[in-house]
Amino acid sequence: MQFRKTSAALAAVLTLSLAATACGNGGDKGANGDKITIGIKFDQPGMGLKTADGKYTGFDVDVATYIAKELGYKPDQIEWKQAPSAERENLIKNGDVKFVVATYTINDKRKAVVDFAGPYFLAHQDLLVRADDNSITKASDLNNKKLCSVTGSTSAQNVKEKLAPQADLQTFGGYSECLTGLENKAVDALTTDDSILAGYAAQKEHQGKFKLAGLKLSDEPYGVGLKKGDKELRDKINAALEKMKSDGSWDKFVKANLGPANYKNEPAPAITEK
């Protein structure tokens, strides 16, 4: 009898331990009803946006949902967590998310802290101008013109310091303020990644008002950020990305989210993070 009681107690402890393990680390198993937590942007139309009615839309959201499906999770098992640029590494390191898909450029500084799968998209820094403005066709045309970006933007500083030192840089708290300024001619151009610019230009209220200059001022390979050393997860995500490209889903996601801006995207990039 004592042996049976001990065995039952050990079984109970083991069950609780396994349950606790499954709940931690952003969610692990999709088949048994667990959740997976994924970091995305909430404020980037076309890429990662939480809408007023609580839905999540954008290319990054579609990519993340596809990856989750390949890992065994249905859409209703995904918990979306806001991943502002400055918080992405912390969210990954602390285990608050399983992975991050949030216009997350792969670079050496970030790779010292987290690992990446992908890249799954190649963006470039570009300019957004009014649709009827043909005066800006190269970066140097911004000299003596008003260039807008968000406060703390490295994109704007890149233009100001290297490409158009005479540009009149105007900074605001958000891209929507830059778009308003661009529309009413208070500023002449807005700069950040072309994918983000295309997302804004593709919004219904903006369609036909703006165009991308198509200048490719930098290369921005977007990767899926995950915990350092988790090679098993990275391999699974890379396999999902390859499948997403081969079955046509990648093209479908780009067209649905960025197509209305007449965005000329690069082909799906080769995976380099292995």
Side-chain angles (χ1 to χ4, degrees):
M1 290 294 290
Q2 185 63 38
F3 175 75
R4 286 181 186 171
K5 286 180 181 177
T6 303
S7 298
L10 284 170
V13 169
L14 182 59
T15 301
L16 286 170
S17 175
L18 287 170
T21 301
C23 291
N25 200 26
D28 283 310
K29 297 180 173 25
N32 61 5
D34 290 339
K35 298 278 189 179
I36 185 170
T37 305
I38 303 172
I40 57 169
K41 293 290 181 69
F42 279 15
D43 60 353
Q44 288 182 348
M47 296 302 291
L49 181 71
K50 183 179 182 181
T51 61
D53 58 359
K55 293 178 181 175
Y56 299 91
T57 66
F59 179 75
D60 279 351
V61 175
D62 288 343
V63 170
T65 302
Y66 189 100
I67 293 169
K69 172 179 69 78
E70 293 301 304
L71 294 176
Y73 297 90
K74 297 175 183 176
D76 62 1
Q77 290 177 282
I78 299 172
E79 290 185 348
W80 301 109
K81 191 171 185 68
Q82 187 170 17
S85 296
E87 289 300 315
R88 290 176 296 202
E89 284 88 20
N90 287 333
L91 290 171
I92 294 168
K93 284 193 301 178
N94 296 338
D96 297 323
V97 295
K98 191 70 175 176
F99 57 85
V100 166
V101 187
T103 58
Y104 201 3
T105 299
I106 300 168
N107 62 36
D108 290 339
K109 183 179 178 182
R110 290 168 179 164
K111 284 168 69 172
V113 183
V114 300
D115 276 346
F116 286 97
Y120 63 91
F121 194 86
L122 179 59
H124 304 282
Q125 186 185 341
D126 200 1
L127 305 174
L128 192 71
V129 298
R130 287 182 292 278
D132 60 356
D133 184 355
N134 298 312
S135 68
I136 301 173
T137 59
K138 56 187 183 296
S140 59
D141 290 337
L142 290 168
N143 283 312
N144 303 312
K145 289 186 179 287
K146 290 181 175 143
L147 173 66
C148 191
S149 197
V150 296
T151 305
S153 165
T154 55
S155 300
Q157 292 301 325
N158 182 43
V159 172
K160 175 76 174 169
E161 292 171 9
K162 300 176 184 176
L163 304 170
Q166 301 304 314
D168 180 6
L169 181 58
Q170 314 270 318
T171 56
F172 293 101
Y175 291 116
S176 58
E177 295 166 82
C178 283
L179 283 164
T180 301
L182 189 57
E183 185 175 2
N184 63 28
K185 300 187 178 182
V187 298
D188 300 300
L190 162 61
T191 188
T192 188
D193 293 0
D194 55 5
S195 57
I196 299 170
L197 295 174
Y200 279 106
Q203 287 183 291
K204 283 186 179 178
E205 64 268 31
H206 296 142
Q207 285 179 22
K209 295 179 181 178
F210 309 114
K211 65 183 179 183
L212 279 82
L215 299 187
K216 298 184 180 180
L217 302 175
S218 69
D219 290 337
E220 308 292 339
Y222 293 162
V224 179
L226 60 142
K227 189 163 280 191
K228 192 81 175 164
D230 194 344
K231 187 177 186 308
E232 182 182 359
L233 179 60
R234 181 166 65 184
D235 289 346
K236 288 179 179 178
I237 293 175
N238 280 336
L241 296 176
E242 291 285 15
K243 184 177 178 182
M244 183 177 68
K245 288 190 285 185
S246 64
D247 70 10
S249 296
W250 188 90
D251 289 310
K252 184 178 77 173
F253 296 157
V254 172
K255 185 175 181 182
N257 292 293
L258 304 175
N262 294 317
Y263 175 58
K264 295 176 178 61
N265 61 279
E266 297 276 9
I271 288 174
T272 59
E273 304 302 309
K274 297 177 180 179

